[in-house]
Amino acid sequence: MKPVETLEDVVIRFAGDSGDGMQIVGTQFTQTTARLGNDLATFPDYPAEIRAPSGTVAGVSGFQLHFSSIDISTPGDVPDALIAMNPAALKVNIGDLKPGGVVIVNTEKFVPREFEKAGYAADPLADGGLDKYQLVRVDMGRLTREAVAGLGLTNKDTDRCRNFFALGMTYWLYSRSIETTRDWIEQKFKDPWKQANLRALEAGWSYAETVEVFTSRYQIPAAKLPPGKYRNIVGNHAVALGLAAASARAEVPLFLGSYPITPATDILQYLAAFKAWGVQTFQAEDEIAAIGSAIGASYAGHIGVTTTSGPGMALKTEAIGLAIMTELPLVIVNVQRGGPSTGLPTKTEQSDLWQALVGRNGEAPLCVLAAASPADCFRMAVEAVRIATTYMTPVILLTDGYLANGSEPWRVSELSELPEMKVHFETNPEDYHAYGRDPVTGARPWVRPGTPKMENRIGGLEKQETTGNVSYDAVNHEVMVKARAQKIANIQVPDLEVHGDADGVLFVGWGSTYGAIRTAVDAARARGHRVAHAHLRYMNPLPANTAEVLRSFRRVVVPEMNLGQLSLWLRAQTGVGCISLPKVQGRMFKVSELIEAIALHGLEDAK
Amino acid sequence: MTTEPTAVRTLNRKEFMSSQMIRWCPGCGDYAILAQAQTVFAELGIPRENFCVISGIGCSSRFPYYMETYGFHTIHGRAATIASGVKLANPELSVWIVTGDGDALAIGGNHTGHLLRRNIDVQVLLFNNRIYGLTKGQASPTSEFGKKTKSTPLGTVENPYNTAAFALGCGGTFVARTVDMFTAQMRDILRAAHAHRGTSFVEAYQTCEIFNDGAFVDLTDKASREEACLMLQNGAPMVYAGGKKGIRLEGLRPTIVELGERWSASDCLVHDETDDTLAGILARMERPFPVPMGILHRVQKPTYDALAAAQIAGARLKGKNPPIEDLLGGGDTWTVE
C-alpha cells in the first residue's frame, strides 16, 4: 500500500490536442469530485479553431480544476498536477506547473515527428528541463490498445479511448472512484465504444494502482458547504436557468431570440432544450433579427431576451435604442470576450463595460448588471428580469468567457427564494395613457396587443409626454430625455458591501474577477495587510452608497481585465480617483499577481 | 382572442382611422393603400384590438400611426424581425408588416428573405415606388438600371431587384402584385393575404409624385393599362388587351400571341397559382410583356409559428407539464446535510 496524503486543495490540469477529449475528461473529473462533496471551481481553456493542426501548440485544449475541503472561489493559479497528452500540451502548460508538481506524459506521442510539430528541437523529457517535477511517463497509446484489443475497433476509434485511460489514472491518484464516469459512459455510448471506453478507464485506474509510477496518493476530504441540494454549474447554464426561473416566478413566458456566437452560444442551446417548461427560442438570421424578435416578443407580453458577445452587441446597438425609446422590458446578455472586432473569441475579457454603459446614439441610459461567479449568473439573470419588468427598460447583463465556461457548485434555488416579481399588464382603458408613468418607478404601463379598447402606436420617434403620440416639440424632447434617465436612476439596488478591514486599501472589482480578488485579499489580510474587497454587481445605477464606501478608504485599487473602464466610471460617478490595475491578456488575474499588487499598494497600510 | 371571423359586430372603415394627422405628400399613392387596408380590416370580422401593424422606416412606414389598431413603428429594415417576435409570442394576432423597397430590400433584405423562408403567418405590404422618398430622392434597390437620381447623377450602374422573383426565390408561399390605383384588386389581394396561412407577400407599386412621378403611369393610365397589365385569375387563360392578346408558352419561354384567326383564349397559358415554375415565369415577365398583376403564387405549406408552437406543446405533453423545480434541480445533484 502506498501512503495516502491528505490535502486541503488541489489544482489539476488536463491538456491535449483539441480532438483528444480533454474537455470530456475534465467535466467527468468535475462531476465525480462534486459528488464527493468537495468545493470546486473549473476553467476550460480551448482554442477558437475546432481542430487546429494536430500536435501544434495552436491546437492545445486544456481543462483546469481546483477542488478542496475548504471554501474556494477560483480555478487556481498553479496546477499541482498536469496531464499532458502530447509535447505541444507539455510546452504550453509546463510553465504554469508548481515546482515539485506531478506531470504525467503520454510517451506514445513523445517522438521526433511530434517534437517538431510542437516546436521542440529535441526530446523535452530528456534534457533535464523537467527535473524539478515528478515526471511520470506512461505509454497511454499502447496500454489503451492492449485494453481494448479484441473489440474490433479501428485504430482511430481506439485512440479516442486514450483520454479515459488518463482519467482512470488521475482518479486513482486522487482517490476517486470511477463509478460516476462508468455510469455516464454506460448511458452515453453504445457497444463496442461503451465497452472500449470502460476498459480504458478501468485499465488506467488499475495501471496506476499496480505499477509503481506514483510516489504517493492523495485524498481531499469533503468541504463544509451550507446544507442543501447542489449541482455543478457553468455560467452559461446558470444564466439559462435563471432566466427560466425568473419567467416562472413572474408567470410571464420567456422568449429568446439569439444568433450563435462564441462564447454565448450555449445559452441558446440550453434554453432550446427547456421547451417542456414553455421556453420559446428563435435562432435568428443575425444579431439584429435576434434582438428584434425579442423586442417584438416583449411588446406582445413575453419576457424578451437576447444573448450575445461583444461583436453581436455592436450590431444590436440600434435596436437597444428602440427598446429604450419604446420603454419595453428586455434582457440582453453579453458574454464578453477579447476584443475589439473578432478579437479573441474563446478568451475572456471585461472590455465591453463602456459599450454597455454608454455605447448608443442619443441619451440612452439603461440598467447594467454584472455576474461575479458561475453560480452568481443565476442570481443576476433573475435580477435582470426583475428590473426589466419592474421598470420597463432594457437591462444588459454582463458575464464573460471565464464565467460562461467555468463551473462551481450551485445550491439549487427554490422558486420561493427568488425575489417577488409582480408583473402587471394594464387592461383598464380608463385614464390609460401609453406613456403615463408609475409615480414610484417611472415605468410606463405594459399593454399587450389584443387588449380591447387600448389600441396604441409606439415607435422609435420621440414621444409626447404621457400620450405617447409622435412629437417633435423641443421642450417635450428634453422632458422625455430626463424622464428616461430618471427611470433608470430610480432603480433600487442593494448597497455595496465591504469585506475586510476598514479605512485601509480597498480593492473594487466587478464581474468574474470576484474569486481572484477575494482570495488575494483574504491571503493578504492573513499576512497582516490592512485591505478590503468590495464587488460591484450593479454597474448602472451604482449602489447608492458607492461614493461613501470609496471615500472611506485611503486608497482604492481597481483590478479589471481592460485598460481601466471601471476606474474611470467610478471616478465619473463618485469623484473618487481610483488606481487602475489592468490586465488585458485574455486571461483571468492570478491570485499571486493580486497579492503582489496588494503588497505594492498596501505596504504603508500594514497593520 | 381569435383571428377567425366570429359573430363580432361589423366594423366600419372609420373605426380604423386614427386621430393622427396624415403627413404624406398630396397625391402620394400611400393614401389609396391606407384606405383599402382600413376598408378590408373592417370587414374581416376580427376585433380591432387583434390587429397589429408593424413597420420599419420610410414614408410607407408611417402607416401604423394612421391605423386605429396596435402599431409599432420600428427601425430601418427590421420590421420583419419585430413582427416575427410578436407573432411567435402571440399567434392569435393578425400581424401586418408595412414596408418599402429600401426598407425591405436594401437595409432589411436579409430579414425579408428569412421571413419568407420561415413562412411565418404574417402579411407583408411592400410599397414599391422605386425611389427613396423620405430622404428626398436617391436610387433604391428597385430603381431601373441607369436611372438618374440625386445620388446617381449619371445614372445607376446596378441592376434592380425583381421583387416577385426575390420573394419566390426565398420560398414565398403567397406572392402577389398590384398597384396603388387598382383599388378593387388591392382589396381582393388583402383579403386573400389575410386568409393565407403563412407569409403573404404583397408588392404594391406606388407612385411618389415628388421624386418618381409617373413611374407606373403606363400601368394605371386608361389608354395604356389594358396593354400594359396582365390581370391574373386562377384557372383562367392569360389574355389581355381587351381579349385581343394572350400569352402562350413556347418551350419554357412565354410569347405574346394575337387572338382571333390563329389563336383563341383556349390556346393560352392557364394561370395556376400553385405552379412554382409558372410563378417564376410570371415574375420575370418584363417589357415588352404585359406586367402580371394579381396573385402570382399561392401554396399551402406549414408555418414556422405553428410548427414551433407544436414542438413546445409536444414537449410539455411528453413531460406532463413539469414543474420548474424539475429543471432547476435536475441533472447530476448531491445533497449536503
Side-chain angles (χ1 to χ4, degrees), chain B residues 277-314:
Chain B
T277 307
L278 184 61
I281 291 168
L282 290 170
R284 285 178 181 79
M285 271 171 54
E286 289 167 3
R287 292 311 199 180
F289 288 99
V291 178
M293 307 293 273
I295 299 169
L296 278 68
H297 190 50
R298 171 161 57 177
V299 286
Q300 204 58 57
K301 284 186 182 165
T303 67
Y304 182 106
D305 38 303
L307 293 171
Q311 282 191 348
I312 290 180

mmCIF file of all heavy atoms in Angstrom, chain B residues 277-314:
data_model
loop_
_atom_site.group_PDB
_atom_site.id
_atom_site.type_symbol
_atom_site.label_atom_id
_atom_site.label_comp_id
_atom_site.label_asym_id
_atom_site.label_seq_id
_atom_site.Cartn_x
_atom_site.Cartn_y
_atom_site.Cartn_z
ATOM 1 N N THR B 277 -43.094 26.740 -61.130
ATOM 2 C CA THR B 277 -42.382 27.051 -62.382
ATOM 3 C C THR B 277 -43.073 28.212 -63.085
ATOM 4 O O THR B 277 -42.437 29.167 -63.536
ATOM 5 C CB THR B 277 -42.372 25.819 -63.319
ATOM 6 O OG1 THR B 277 -41.857 24.715 -62.584
ATOM 7 C CG2 THR B 277 -41.518 26.071 -64.541
ATOM 8 N N LEU B 278 -44.383 28.118 -63.127
ATOM 9 C CA LEU B 278 -45.161 29.180 -63.762
ATOM 10 C C LEU B 278 -44.972 30.511 -63.013
ATOM 11 O O LEU B 278 -44.829 31.575 -63.626
ATOM 12 C CB LEU B 278 -46.642 28.772 -63.770
ATOM 13 C CG LEU B 278 -47.597 29.722 -64.476
ATOM 14 C CD1 LEU B 278 -47.225 29.866 -65.947
ATOM 15 C CD2 LEU B 278 -49.034 29.213 -64.341
ATOM 16 N N ALA B 279 -44.953 30.411 -61.702
ATOM 17 C CA ALA B 279 -44.761 31.627 -60.901
ATOM 18 C C ALA B 279 -43.455 32.310 -61.272
ATOM 19 O O ALA B 279 -43.387 33.535 -61.390
ATOM 20 C CB ALA B 279 -44.786 31.282 -59.411
ATOM 21 N N GLY B 280 -42.410 31.507 -61.455
ATOM 22 C CA GLY B 280 -41.107 32.059 -61.826
ATOM 23 C C GLY B 280 -41.163 32.742 -63.183
ATOM 24 O O GLY B 280 -40.582 33.815 -63.382
ATOM 25 N N ILE B 281 -41.873 32.120 -64.123
ATOM 26 C CA ILE B 281 -42.008 32.714 -65.461
ATOM 27 C C ILE B 281 -42.760 34.050 -65.366
ATOM 28 O O ILE B 281 -42.343 35.059 -65.943
ATOM 29 C CB ILE B 281 -42.734 31.728 -66.407
ATOM 30 C CG1 ILE B 281 -41.816 30.525 -66.683
ATOM 31 C CG2 ILE B 281 -43.151 32.416 -67.699
ATOM 32 C CD1 ILE B 281 -42.510 29.354 -67.367
ATOM 33 N N LEU B 282 -43.837 34.044 -64.608
ATOM 34 C CA LEU B 282 -44.636 35.276 -64.469
ATOM 35 C C LEU B 282 -43.831 36.395 -63.809
ATOM 36 O O LEU B 282 -43.884 37.551 -64.230
ATOM 37 C CB LEU B 282 -45.897 34.994 -63.645
ATOM 38 C CG LEU B 282 -46.958 34.122 -64.326
ATOM 39 C CD1 LEU B 282 -48.038 33.728 -63.324
ATOM 40 C CD2 LEU B 282 -47.579 34.864 -65.512
ATOM 41 N N ALA B 283 -43.095 36.033 -62.749
ATOM 42 C CA ALA B 283 -42.337 37.058 -62.027
ATOM 43 C C ALA B 283 -41.324 37.735 -62.940
ATOM 44 O O ALA B 283 -41.034 38.920 -62.790
ATOM 45 C CB ALA B 283 -41.641 36.434 -60.820
ATOM 46 N N ARG B 284 -40.805 36.973 -63.901
ATOM 47 C CA ARG B 284 -39.749 37.520 -64.774
ATOM 48 C C ARG B 284 -40.285 38.122 -66.068
ATOM 49 O O ARG B 284 -39.509 38.495 -66.947
ATOM 50 C CB ARG B 284 -38.721 36.435 -65.062
ATOM 51 C CG ARG B 284 -37.824 36.184 -63.868
ATOM 52 C CD ARG B 284 -36.824 35.082 -64.102
ATOM 53 N NE ARG B 284 -36.009 34.880 -62.918
ATOM 54 C CZ ARG B 284 -36.400 34.206 -61.845
ATOM 55 N NH1 ARG B 284 -37.611 33.667 -61.806
ATOM 56 N NH2 ARG B 284 -35.606 34.090 -60.792
ATOM 57 N N MET B 285 -41.595 38.171 -66.220
ATOM 58 C CA MET B 285 -42.159 38.778 -67.432
ATOM 59 C C MET B 285 -42.080 40.292 -67.344
ATOM 60 O O MET B 285 -42.786 40.909 -66.551
ATOM 61 C CB MET B 285 -43.612 38.322 -67.632
ATOM 62 C CG MET B 285 -43.692 37.043 -68.457
ATOM 63 S SD MET B 285 -45.336 36.315 -68.523
ATOM 64 C CE MET B 285 -46.327 37.655 -69.090
ATOM 65 N N GLU B 286 -41.146 40.856 -68.119
ATOM 66 C CA GLU B 286 -40.993 42.304 -68.106
ATOM 67 C C GLU B 286 -41.206 42.803 -69.530
ATOM 68 O O GLU B 286 -41.389 42.007 -70.444
ATOM 69 C CB GLU B 286 -39.590 42.662 -67.574
ATOM 70 C CG GLU B 286 -39.488 42.374 -66.067
ATOM 71 C CD GLU B 286 -38.064 42.388 -65.526
ATOM 72 O OE1 GLU B 286 -37.136 42.678 -66.294
ATOM 73 O OE2 GLU B 286 -37.907 42.099 -64.329
ATOM 74 N N ARG B 287 -41.193 44.096 -69.742
ATOM 75 C CA ARG B 287 -41.397 44.669 -71.074
ATOM 76 C C ARG B 287 -40.607 43.899 -72.122
ATOM 77 O O ARG B 287 -39.463 43.540 -71.851
ATOM 78 C CB ARG B 287 -40.994 46.149 -71.089
ATOM 79 C CG ARG B 287 -41.917 47.013 -70.250
ATOM 80 C CD ARG B 287 -43.310 46.734 -70.587
ATOM 81 N NE ARG B 287 -44.217 47.787 -70.163
ATOM 82 C CZ ARG B 287 -45.518 47.688 -70.386
ATOM 83 N NH1 ARG B 287 -46.017 46.630 -70.997
ATOM 84 N NH2 ARG B 287 -46.313 48.644 -69.993
ATOM 85 N N PRO B 288 -41.149 43.590 -73.289
ATOM 86 C CA PRO B 288 -42.426 44.073 -73.863
ATOM 87 C C PRO B 288 -43.657 43.289 -73.400
ATOM 88 O O PRO B 288 -44.741 43.534 -73.914
ATOM 89 C CB PRO B 288 -42.216 43.864 -75.367
ATOM 90 C CG PRO B 288 -41.354 42.649 -75.450
ATOM 91 C CD PRO B 288 -40.433 42.711 -74.254
ATOM 92 N N PHE B 289 -43.470 42.362 -72.472
ATOM 93 C CA PHE B 289 -44.641 41.628 -71.995
ATOM 94 C C PHE B 289 -45.496 42.534 -71.117
ATOM 95 O O PHE B 289 -45.000 43.490 -70.525
ATOM 96 C CB PHE B 289 -44.199 40.417 -71.159
ATOM 97 C CG PHE B 289 -43.595 39.327 -71.981
ATOM 98 C CD1 PHE B 289 -42.218 39.189 -72.082
ATOM 99 C CD2 PHE B 289 -44.410 38.445 -72.685
ATOM 100 C CE1 PHE B 289 -41.659 38.194 -72.846
ATOM 101 C CE2 PHE B 289 -43.854 37.442 -73.455
ATOM 102 C CZ PHE B 289 -42.474 37.314 -73.546
ATOM 103 N N PRO B 290 -46.779 42.203 -71.010
ATOM 104 C CA PRO B 290 -47.587 42.910 -70.016
ATOM 105 C C PRO B 290 -47.135 42.488 -68.617
ATOM 106 O O PRO B 290 -46.579 41.405 -68.452
ATOM 107 C CB PRO B 290 -49.002 42.410 -70.305
ATOM 108 C CG PRO B 290 -48.807 41.062 -70.936
ATOM 109 C CD PRO B 290 -47.526 41.155 -71.711
ATOM 110 N N VAL B 291 -47.306 43.355 -67.638
ATOM 111 C CA VAL B 291 -46.865 43.070 -66.260
ATOM 112 C C VAL B 291 -47.947 42.248 -65.556
ATOM 113 O O VAL B 291 -49.083 42.704 -65.427
ATOM 114 C CB VAL B 291 -46.610 44.383 -65.490
ATOM 115 C CG1 VAL B 291 -46.212 44.078 -64.051
ATOM 116 C CG2 VAL B 291 -45.548 45.211 -66.188
ATOM 117 N N PRO B 292 -47.627 41.030 -65.125
ATOM 118 C CA PRO B 292 -48.634 40.225 -64.428
ATOM 119 C C PRO B 292 -49.029 40.878 -63.093
ATOM 120 O O PRO B 292 -48.169 41.250 -62.300
ATOM 121 C CB PRO B 292 -47.932 38.888 -64.176
ATOM 122 C CG PRO B 292 -46.781 38.860 -65.123
ATOM 123 C CD PRO B 292 -46.362 40.301 -65.265
ATOM 124 N N MET B 293 -50.326 41.036 -62.898
ATOM 125 C CA MET B 293 -50.842 41.650 -61.671
ATOM 126 C C MET B 293 -51.831 40.675 -61.046
ATOM 127 O O MET B 293 -52.594 40.016 -61.749
ATOM 128 C CB MET B 293 -51.577 42.963 -62.002
ATOM 129 C CG MET B 293 -50.767 43.959 -62.821
ATOM 130 S SD MET B 293 -49.374 44.628 -61.936
ATOM 131 C CE MET B 293 -50.173 45.973 -61.125
ATOM 132 N N GLY B 294 -51.817 40.638 -59.713
ATOM 133 C CA GLY B 294 -52.704 39.711 -59.019
ATOM 134 C C GLY B 294 -51.874 38.724 -58.212
ATOM 135 O O GLY B 294 -50.736 39.013 -57.850
ATOM 136 N N ILE B 295 -52.434 37.559 -57.947
ATOM 137 C CA ILE B 295 -51.722 36.566 -57.138
ATOM 138 C C ILE B 295 -50.894 35.685 -58.061
ATOM 139 O O ILE B 295 -51.427 34.891 -58.827
ATOM 140 C CB ILE B 295 -52.712 35.731 -56.302
ATOM 141 C CG1 ILE B 295 -53.472 36.659 -55.341
ATOM 142 C CG2 ILE B 295 -51.970 34.651 -55.525
ATOM 143 C CD1 ILE B 295 -54.643 36.007 -54.647
ATOM 144 N N LEU B 296 -49.584 35.855 -58.010
ATOM 145 C CA LEU B 296 -48.688 35.088 -58.876
ATOM 146 C C LEU B 296 -48.535 33.660 -58.365
ATOM 147 O O LEU B 296 -48.409 32.724 -59.143
ATOM 148 C CB LEU B 296 -47.299 35.755 -58.937
ATOM 149 C CG LEU B 296 -47.120 36.927 -59.910
ATOM 150 C CD1 LEU B 296 -47.926 38.139 -59.455
ATOM 151 C CD2 LEU B 296 -45.646 37.293 -60.039
ATOM 152 N N HIS B 297 -48.516 33.525 -57.048
ATOM 153 C CA HIS B 297 -48.223 32.210 -56.475
ATOM 154 C C HIS B 297 -48.894 32.084 -55.121
ATOM 155 O O HIS B 297 -48.876 33.022 -54.318
ATOM 156 C CB HIS B 297 -46.697 32.058 -56.316
ATOM 157 C CG HIS B 297 -46.250 30.676 -55.969
ATOM 158 N ND1 HIS B 297 -46.656 29.552 -56.658
ATOM 159 C CD2 HIS B 297 -45.424 30.222 -54.995
ATOM 160 C CE1 HIS B 297 -46.085 28.479 -56.129
ATOM 161 N NE2 HIS B 297 -45.338 28.864 -55.110
ATOM 162 N N ARG B 298 -49.520 30.931 -54.907
ATOM 163 C CA ARG B 298 -50.156 30.690 -53.601
ATOM 164 C C ARG B 298 -50.160 29.188 -53.345
ATOM 165 O O ARG B 298 -50.818 28.443 -54.062
ATOM 166 C CB ARG B 298 -51.576 31.252 -53.607
ATOM 167 C CG ARG B 298 -52.385 30.855 -52.381
ATOM 168 C CD ARG B 298 -53.584 31.746 -52.151
ATOM 169 N NE ARG B 298 -54.505 31.808 -53.286
ATOM 170 C CZ ARG B 298 -55.665 32.487 -53.270
ATOM 171 N NH1 ARG B 298 -56.038 33.157 -52.188
ATOM 172 N NH2 ARG B 298 -56.436 32.510 -54.343
ATOM 173 N N VAL B 299 -49.402 28.761 -52.350
ATOM 174 C CA VAL B 299 -49.396 27.338 -51.963
ATOM 175 C C VAL B 299 -49.475 27.243 -50.441
ATOM 176 O O VAL B 299 -49.058 28.155 -49.723
ATOM 177 C CB VAL B 299 -48.111 26.592 -52.432
ATOM 178 C CG1 VAL B 299 -48.139 26.350 -53.916
ATOM 179 C CG2 VAL B 299 -46.855 27.324 -52.003
ATOM 180 N N GLN B 300 -50.000 26.150 -49.987
ATOM 181 C CA GLN B 300 -50.110 25.953 -48.548
ATOM 182 C C GLN B 300 -48.922 25.138 -48.062
ATOM 183 O O GLN B 300 -48.671 24.046 -48.562
ATOM 184 C CB GLN B 300 -51.425 25.223 -48.244
ATOM 185 C CG GLN B 300 -51.935 25.467 -46.839
ATOM 186 C CD GLN B 300 -52.141 26.959 -46.563
ATOM 187 O OE1 GLN B 300 -52.875 27.632 -47.267
ATOM 188 N NE2 GLN B 300 -51.467 27.465 -45.535
ATOM 189 N N LYS B 301 -48.196 25.688 -47.122
ATOM 190 C CA LYS B 301 -47.075 24.953 -46.520
ATOM 191 C C LYS B 301 -47.107 25.191 -45.017
ATOM 192 O O LYS B 301 -47.664 26.193 -44.570
ATOM 193 C CB LYS B 301 -45.725 25.444 -47.080
ATOM 194 C CG LYS B 301 -45.460 24.929 -48.480
ATOM 195 C CD LYS B 301 -44.068 25.284 -48.964
ATOM 196 C CE LYS B 301 -43.852 24.783 -50.386
ATOM 197 N NZ LYS B 301 -42.687 25.394 -51.026
ATOM 198 N N PRO B 302 -46.504 24.298 -44.243
ATOM 199 C CA PRO B 302 -46.517 24.500 -42.782
ATOM 200 C C PRO B 302 -45.870 25.823 -42.415
ATOM 201 O O PRO B 302 -44.914 26.258 -43.062
ATOM 202 C CB PRO B 302 -45.683 23.333 -42.249
ATOM 203 C CG PRO B 302 -45.646 22.329 -43.350
ATOM 204 C CD PRO B 302 -45.776 23.088 -44.634
ATOM 205 N N THR B 303 -46.388 26.466 -41.387
ATOM 206 C CA THR B 303 -45.825 27.743 -40.958
ATOM 207 C C THR B 303 -44.894 27.529 -39.775
ATOM 208 O O THR B 303 -45.088 26.620 -38.972
ATOM 209 C CB THR B 303 -46.929 28.722 -40.525
ATOM 210 O OG1 THR B 303 -47.552 28.231 -39.344
ATOM 211 C CG2 THR B 303 -47.954 28.915 -41.623
ATOM 212 N N TYR B 304 -43.907 28.400 -39.685
ATOM 213 C CA TYR B 304 -42.939 28.333 -38.574
ATOM 214 C C TYR B 304 -43.663 28.440 -37.243
ATOM 215 O O TYR B 304 -43.387 27.679 -36.304
ATOM 216 C CB TYR B 304 -41.932 29.476 -38.715
ATOM 217 C CG TYR B 304 -40.841 29.490 -37.654
ATOM 218 C CD1 TYR B 304 -39.543 29.105 -37.978
ATOM 219 C CD2 TYR B 304 -41.094 29.899 -36.345
ATOM 220 C CE1 TYR B 304 -38.541 29.116 -37.017
ATOM 221 C CE2 TYR B 304 -40.106 29.901 -35.385
ATOM 222 C CZ TYR B 304 -38.829 29.516 -35.721
ATOM 223 O OH TYR B 304 -37.842 29.518 -34.767
ATOM 224 N N ASP B 305 -44.593 29.392 -37.149
ATOM 225 C CA ASP B 305 -45.242 29.636 -35.859
ATOM 226 C C ASP B 305 -46.022 28.417 -35.397
ATOM 227 O O ASP B 305 -45.971 28.050 -34.216
ATOM 228 C CB ASP B 305 -46.146 30.876 -35.922
ATOM 229 C CG ASP B 305 -46.886 31.027 -37.232
ATOM 230 O OD1 ASP B 305 -46.210 31.086 -38.277
ATOM 231 O OD2 ASP B 305 -48.122 31.076 -37.220
ATOM 232 N N ALA B 306 -46.708 27.739 -36.325
ATOM 233 C CA ALA B 306 -47.479 26.562 -35.924
ATOM 234 C C ALA B 306 -46.550 25.414 -35.532
ATOM 235 O O ALA B 306 -46.781 24.725 -34.533
ATOM 236 C CB ALA B 306 -48.395 26.136 -37.068
ATOM 237 N N LEU B 307 -45.469 25.228 -36.304
ATOM 238 C CA LEU B 307 -44.542 24.134 -36.010
ATOM 239 C C LEU B 307 -43.835 24.358 -34.677
ATOM 240 O O LEU B 307 -43.669 23.433 -33.880
ATOM 241 C CB LEU B 307 -43.507 23.997 -37.134
ATOM 242 C CG LEU B 307 -44.054 23.529 -38.486
ATOM 243 C CD1 LEU B 307 -42.981 23.638 -39.566
ATOM 244 C CD2 LEU B 307 -44.568 22.093 -38.401
ATOM 245 N N ALA B 308 -43.419 25.612 -34.432
ATOM 246 C CA ALA B 308 -42.715 25.911 -33.178
ATOM 247 C C ALA B 308 -43.650 25.721 -31.990
ATOM 248 O O ALA B 308 -43.258 25.164 -30.960
ATOM 249 C CB ALA B 308 -42.168 27.340 -33.213
ATOM 250 N N ALA B 309 -44.896 26.166 -32.130
ATOM 251 C CA ALA B 309 -45.860 26.006 -31.040
ATOM 252 C C ALA B 309 -46.123 24.526 -30.780
ATOM 253 O O ALA B 309 -46.252 24.095 -29.628
ATOM 254 C CB ALA B 309 -47.156 26.741 -31.380
ATOM 255 N N ALA B 310 -46.162 23.738 -31.859
ATOM 256 C CA ALA B 310 -46.411 22.301 -31.708
ATOM 257 C C ALA B 310 -45.255 21.615 -30.988
ATOM 258 O O ALA B 310 -45.463 20.701 -30.187
ATOM 259 C CB ALA B 310 -46.634 21.671 -33.074
ATOM 260 N N GLN B 311 -44.023 22.084 -31.256
ATOM 261 C CA GLN B 311 -42.868 21.493 -30.556
ATOM 262 C C GLN B 311 -42.961 21.741 -29.052
ATOM 263 O O GLN B 311 -42.687 20.857 -28.244
ATOM 264 C CB GLN B 311 -41.562 22.091 -31.087
ATOM 265 C CG GLN B 311 -41.131 21.508 -32.414
ATOM 266 C CD GLN B 311 -39.717 21.907 -32.790
ATOM 267 O OE1 GLN B 311 -39.120 22.801 -32.170
ATOM 268 N NE2 GLN B 311 -39.170 21.261 -33.801
ATOM 269 N N ILE B 312 -43.355 22.958 -28.696
ATOM 270 C CA ILE B 312 -43.457 23.284 -27.271
ATOM 271 C C ILE B 312 -44.614 22.498 -26.630
ATOM 272 O O ILE B 312 -44.452 21.897 -25.565
ATOM 273 C CB ILE B 312 -43.631 24.806 -27.075
ATOM 274 C CG1 ILE B 312 -42.309 25.508 -27.431
ATOM 275 C CG2 ILE B 312 -44.050 25.142 -25.639
ATOM 276 C CD1 ILE B 312 -42.324 26.995 -27.281
ATOM 277 N N ALA B 313 -45.742 22.463 -27.324
ATOM 278 C CA ALA B 313 -46.888 21.727 -26.779
ATOM 279 C C ALA B 313 -46.537 20.251 -26.631
ATOM 280 O O ALA B 313 -46.876 19.622 -25.617
ATOM 281 C CB ALA B 313 -48.091 21.913 -27.698
ATOM 282 N N GLY B 314 -45.833 19.712 -27.616
ATOM 283 C CA GLY B 314 -45.439 18.308 -27.565
ATOM 284 C C GLY B 314 -44.500 18.020 -26.407
ATOM 285 O O GLY B 314 -44.647 17.020 -25.693
#
